Amino acid sequence: MNIKLIATDLDGTLLDSRKRLPPELPELLCELRARGIRFAPASGRQYYNLIGLFGTESMTYIVENGSMVFENGRCIFFDELPRRTVLRAVELIRSLPGAYAILSGEHSAWCEDNGPVFLENARMYYAHLTRVPDLLQVDDRISKIAVFEQGRAEQGCWPALQALSQEAQVVLSGADWVDLMNPGVNKGSAIRKLCAELGISPDECMAFGDYLNDRELLESVTHSFAMANAHPEIRALCRHQAPSNDEDGVVRSIRAFCGI
């Protein structure tokens, strides 16, 4: 199988339930590099968070759910939300009980709340997080707005945020999180741009995911893998199934599929 690019979601996919990388991943990455196969983490997380997790800039990173792409330490794609959309979203999120906003910027992520549960979860995904008195005064390009509501994003803030659906995508990205981005921006659009730049076809790509914000990523490649723990809609659309994230499903599936 002539695979040239492997993209994988992180939380619920590559990372186990304790947010750990598979122990065999470093050895696998060396083997993939030797074969000329790119490995691209594709996450809703911040770039600086992934640098801390993988310990290197010398990779391709699709971050903030596809609104930014970094290649060997350089930002090669940034999709900016209009200022008007940012302002409307912040004002709406402030009106939702239990909902907290994070602005994903070029230079940092930004928040204005200091609830301990919110901050604990935010710092899990944002290594550079700056707290400010007023998000409406942040001077930075913003590519994504992440909204946290513990345990009930699907029933709580996600329906309420549909009020912004005429100007932004409203994407459920986990039990606690909703993401707002420009229409058409997702992990799949980022993969397609990257493949066009590199001259790679969908038949030469593998992708792994577990949740609804991985849909476009999985639809953009020929060899799509749903984790055993994936959302039912994700399992239904994928061509292949991988063992769960707690069974090192990504690593095991890559080795089996690529004959490594």
Side-chain angles (χ1 to χ4, degrees):
M1 191 63 64
N2 187 27
I3 297 297
K4 295 182 179 179
L5 174 65
I6 301 172
T8 178
D9 174 54
L10 292 186
D11 297 281
T13 302
L14 182 64
L15 302 181
D16 68 14
S17 296
R18 296 174 64 184
K19 306 298 183 183
R20 300 175 301 185
L21 289 168
E24 294 185 10
L25 183 64
E27 179 185 351
L28 177 62
L29 292 180
C30 289
E31 293 169 345
L32 293 176
R33 280 193 291 270
R35 294 179 178 219
I37 300 173
R38 290 172 180 266
F39 184 85
S43 176
R45 292 181 180 228
Q46 184 187 46
Y47 171 66
Y48 302 104
N49 179 281
L50 298 198
I51 293 299
L53 185 63
F54 287 90
T56 179
E57 290 187 334
S58 301
M59 286 175 61
T60 302
Y61 293 102
I62 298 167
V63 296
E64 306 289 9
N65 272 339
S67 61
M68 299 186 209
V69 178
F70 285 80
E71 172 84 356
N72 296 323
R74 184 172 63 92
C75 183
I76 61 172
F77 175 72
F78 186 100
D79 190 273
E80 184 177 5
L81 278 167
R83 180 68 176 167
R84 176 179 178 273
T85 301
V86 174
L87 297 180
R88 287 194 63 207
V90 169
E91 291 171 349
L92 175 56
I93 296 161
R94 284 172 173 172
S95 73
L96 303 176
Y100 302 86
I102 298 174
L103 305 187
S104 299
E106 182 177 8
H107 303 295
S108 180
W110 309 87
C111 70
E112 62 185 13
D113 296 286
N114 63 353
V117 173
F118 163 66
L119 288 178
E120 178 184 358
N121 281 270
R123 286 171 177 150
M124 191 183 303
Y125 304 108
Y126 294 91
H128 287 192
L129 180 64
T130 305
R131 185 167 171 257
V132 294
D134 184 1
L135 285 177
L136 300 181
Q137 301 303 316
V138 167
D139 183 18
D140 195 359
R141 292 200 299 166
I142 305 301
S143 69
K144 188 189 80 174
I145 301 171
V147 187
F148 174 79
E149 185 174 2
Q150 188 182 22
R152 58 182 314 275
E154 186 169 1
Q155 298 77 32
C157 62
W158 186 45
L161 290 165
Q162 300 301 321
L164 300 170
S165 62
Q166 294 300 309
E167 57 193 289
Q169 288 187 89
V170 184
V171 181
L172 184 67
S173 58
D176 304 324
W177 295 95
V178 174
D179 290 329
L180 304 177
M181 297 168 293
N182 278 322
V185 176
N186 51 62
K187 297 176 186 178
S189 64
I191 280 287
R192 288 191 293 272
K193 289 183 176 72
L194 185 61
C195 286
E197 181 73 20
L198 299 173
I200 296 174
S201 74
D203 289 345
E204 296 170 314
C205 297
M206 299 171 66
F208 295 82
D210 75 301
Y211 212 73
L212 299 178
N213 64 323
D214 299 319
R215 174 184 294 276
E216 294 87 359
L217 169 66
L218 296 163
E219 290 176 335
S220 69
V221 305
T222 299
H223 307 292
S224 55
F225 288 75
M227 310 307 291
N229 53 286
H231 190 287
E233 291 184 26
I234 296 302
R235 291 201 302 271
L237 71 86
C238 285
R239 179 171 290 190
H240 307 280
Q241 181 166 308
S244 78
N245 63 320
D246 285 324
E247 300 172 288
D248 295 343
V250 172
V251 169
R252 289 170 57 188
S253 296
I254 292 171
R255 286 194 178 280
F257 196 77
C258 297
I260 298 176

